[in-house]
Amino acid sequence: IPSAELVLGRSVAVASFDPSNPSDRVVIAVWVDGTPPKTTVRKTANETVNNSTTLQNDDALLWAVAASDVWAFTLYLRITSGAVPDIKFGWSYPAGTTMAWGRGFITALTEYTETTVDAIATDGTDQVIVYKGVVIVGSTAGNIVLQWAQNTANASDTKVLANSYLVLERLA
């Protein structure tokens, strides 16, 4: 191999085997700090809540964060709930964490904070809900955990379904 040059990027290292020809580059997936640029978390089983409006931690839709991390996420939720109980979502997070999140694309009209609980009207059929957001972790490490419950307590089942998933990207 002729001369090589290593240029560190945020998530990958780019090796140029011919420094005089910048278009002749190979991207090498090297994560300097051990964290891949994108991570996914998939729910493998249905989870049910009934007759409760108390937010509870989801069994699968969570991730660990270190102090001072910054993450972007997209959450694809498959849900079903009757028209009476509906469903609501919130988050559990380490002290000092801030979040900006919302359904679909975040705008000034739909942006939520880390303390927001979002209630969604349902009709008894399977639905898909997409949330996007940014998480800025303070000085305390821990887990970011999706929480959910019925919006109105009812004996019917409210479910977050298998194959709901998170796509996570560590930004810093």
Side-chain angles (χ1 to χ4, degrees):
I1 299 177
S3 65
E5 159 189 24
L6 187 64
V7 180
L8 290 179
R10 182 171 37 181
S11 300
V12 299
V14 178
S16 174
F17 294 108
D18 182 0
S20 65
N21 184 1
S23 66
D24 182 22
R25 292 182 182 224
V26 176
V27 176
I28 302 169
V30 175
W31 301 291
V32 177
D33 62 1
T35 303
K38 285 201 178 180
T39 304
T40 59
V41 176
R42 183 176 69 94
K43 189 171 190 64
T44 59
N46 293 349
E47 189 173 347
T48 303
V49 167
N50 55 40
N51 211 27
S52 176
T53 60
T54 303
L55 289 173
Q56 59 94 38
N57 289 346
D58 189 89
D59 293 342
L61 298 172
L62 61 111
W63 77 99
V65 294
S68 303
D69 273 2
V70 178
W71 290 82
F73 70 87
T74 302
L75 172 61
Y76 297 87
L77 286 169
R78 297 180 58 241
I79 64 146
T80 189
S81 184
V84 173
D86 296 328
I87 192 168
K88 63 183 178 181
F89 297 97
W91 298 93
S92 171
Y93 46 86
T97 296
T98 58
M99 294 177 72
W101 64 289
R103 287 187 232 163
F105 292 97
I106 297 173
T107 69
L109 299 176
T110 61
E111 183 175 284
Y112 305 143
T113 68
E114 64 280 357
T115 59
T116 302
V117 174
D118 185 34
I120 296 177
T122 56
D123 61 6
T125 62
D126 290 2
Q127 295 175 300
V128 174
I129 302 161
V130 178
Y131 286 108
K132 292 179 179 268
V134 176
V135 176
I136 303 161
V137 182
S139 60
T140 305
N143 288 329
I144 307 295
V145 184
L146 176 70
Q147 295 184 315
W148 58 279
Q150 292 180 322
N151 198 44
T152 302
N154 185 275
S156 65
D157 289 344
T158 297
K159 297 179 183 179
V160 174
L161 302 174
N163 295 311
S164 294
Y165 64 97
L166 278 160
V167 177
L168 306 162
E169 185 171 8
R170 184 166 176 249
L171 304 175

